[in-house]
Amino acid sequence: MRFDILTLFPGFFDGILGDSILKRASEAGHIEVEVHNLPKWSNDPKHHKVDDRPYGGGPGMVIKPEPVVDSVEELTAEEPAHVILTTPVGRPYSQPVARELSKKERLVIVCGHYEGFDERIREELEPDEISIGDYVMTGGELAAMVILDSVSRLLPGVLGDPGSSVEDSFTEELLDHAHYTRPEEYRGRRVPEVLLSGDHAKIAEWRHLSAVERTRSRRPDIYERYTSGGRAKPASTDRPNGG
């Protein structure tokens, strides 16, 4: 899968692309990532500005239409792509959205900045606008990193164990279950016996109950949607430790 990222600050992406899973995925050819400097498409030959003051007055600067539209059209001239704007006014990002995007062959992500995008960018490109949460950041680079990371890990071959992404939080409409590793006892707290039993059916049942109870206690909004779909609620006596 190919990712093209348009940004005012290409250096932001050096760390995330130079380490860990994304680095290995790139080296193995599972993903291809190109980070582009948006000012390259500026129509200001001297200062390479991509923003200007808003019409009607007010604070801040607005990203001009020409560099964004021109860059996206140039990058997609020979190979179509799904175009994304990272913006607080976009649709909320979630695991289902990540799965949806992982089925695309190519993403072009434009990082928002300043007071936002000139509205004509939306009218010309009709992009998919995405927000990673109800808060405002300095720029859209971090949002682009979130999309890049969460989509990449869903692609075949990116994770060492294909089951890792299947069992993640939100994948099955629930938060992830509690996890334990060695030692068996730490400061008087023991690993639940069922996880040491080798009984895979019982372990699966315990993990499901743990996920349900964790969702109920920490994210009642998700739990409400889960139970409203006709799923049975766990009995209080069955709540596993660490749920």
Side-chain angles (χ1 to χ4, degrees):
M1 186 175 185
R2 178 180 171 93
F3 299 84
D4 287 274
I5 300 172
L6 284 155
T7 171
L8 279 71
F9 304 101
F12 266 61
F13 295 87
D14 292 345
I16 190 173
L17 295 175
D19 286 302
S20 191
I21 290 174
L22 291 183
K23 179 182 179 182
R24 294 196 297 270
S26 179
E27 291 175 344
H30 300 305
I31 63 172
E32 180 182 358
V33 184
E34 290 291 338
V35 180
H36 306 273
N37 189 23
L38 185 60
K40 171 186 173 182
W41 285 271
S42 171
N43 60 359
D44 174 5
K46 183 176 182 179
H47 302 290
H48 303 290
K49 287 183 60 178
V50 298
D51 62 306
D52 211 328
R53 298 184 184 280
Y55 279 122
M61 305 290 275
V62 176
I63 296 180
K64 294 160 60 70
E66 304 99 311
V68 175
V69 174
D70 290 352
S71 61
V72 171
E73 288 183 344
E74 180 178 323
L75 291 174
T76 59
E78 297 182 1
E79 182 184 352
H82 186 79
V83 180
I84 295 171
L85 299 186
T86 59
T87 166
V89 302
R91 61 171 173 152
Y93 194 59
S94 63
Q95 190 68 15
V97 176
R99 285 199 298 270
E100 171 194 326
L101 297 178
S102 72
K103 295 177 172 58
K104 308 292 185 182
E105 292 186 7
R106 184 185 180 199
L107 299 180
V108 172
I109 306 174
V110 186
C111 302
H113 244 282
Y114 308 122
E115 293 301 309
F117 296 99
D118 185 293
E119 192 65 19
R120 290 164 292 186
I121 295 172
R122 297 178 170 90
E123 296 168 355
E124 285 291 324
L125 299 178
E126 298 182 346
D128 183 3
E129 299 184 60
I130 289 180
S131 167
I132 62 168
D134 294 339
Y135 46 85
V136 180
M137 298 184 297
T138 303
E141 283 74 21
L142 289 175
M145 292 179 191
V146 167
I147 295 170
L148 170 62
D149 185 275
S150 57
V151 170
S152 294
R153 67 194 316 280
L154 295 174
L155 301 176
V158 170
L159 297 182
D161 183 348
S164 296
S165 63
V166 175
E167 296 182 0
D168 285 339
S169 290
F170 308 111
T171 300
E172 296 297 334
E173 301 179 317
L174 293 169
L175 299 184
D176 198 8
H177 58 77
H179 293 271
Y180 293 87
T181 186
R182 292 164 180 76
E184 288 186 21
E185 182 175 339
Y186 176 70
R187 294 188 176 182
R189 302 176 186 272
R190 293 189 55 80
V191 174
E193 290 298 326
V194 64
L195 299 181
L196 308 176
S197 68
D199 188 324
H200 296 294
K202 289 184 177 179
I203 290 172
E205 180 183 11
W206 182 93
R207 285 175 171 168
H208 173 71
L209 290 175
S210 171
V212 172
E213 177 57 22
R214 175 172 282 185
T215 305
R216 183 200 66 78
S217 62
R218 301 185 185 185
R219 289 293 301 273
D221 55 327
I222 298 176
Y223 181 76
E224 177 62 28
R225 290 197 299 271
Y226 178 78
T227 56
S228 65
R231 301 164 178 83
K233 299 180 181 180
S236 59
T237 55
D238 292 333
R239 292 175 188 168
N241 294 334

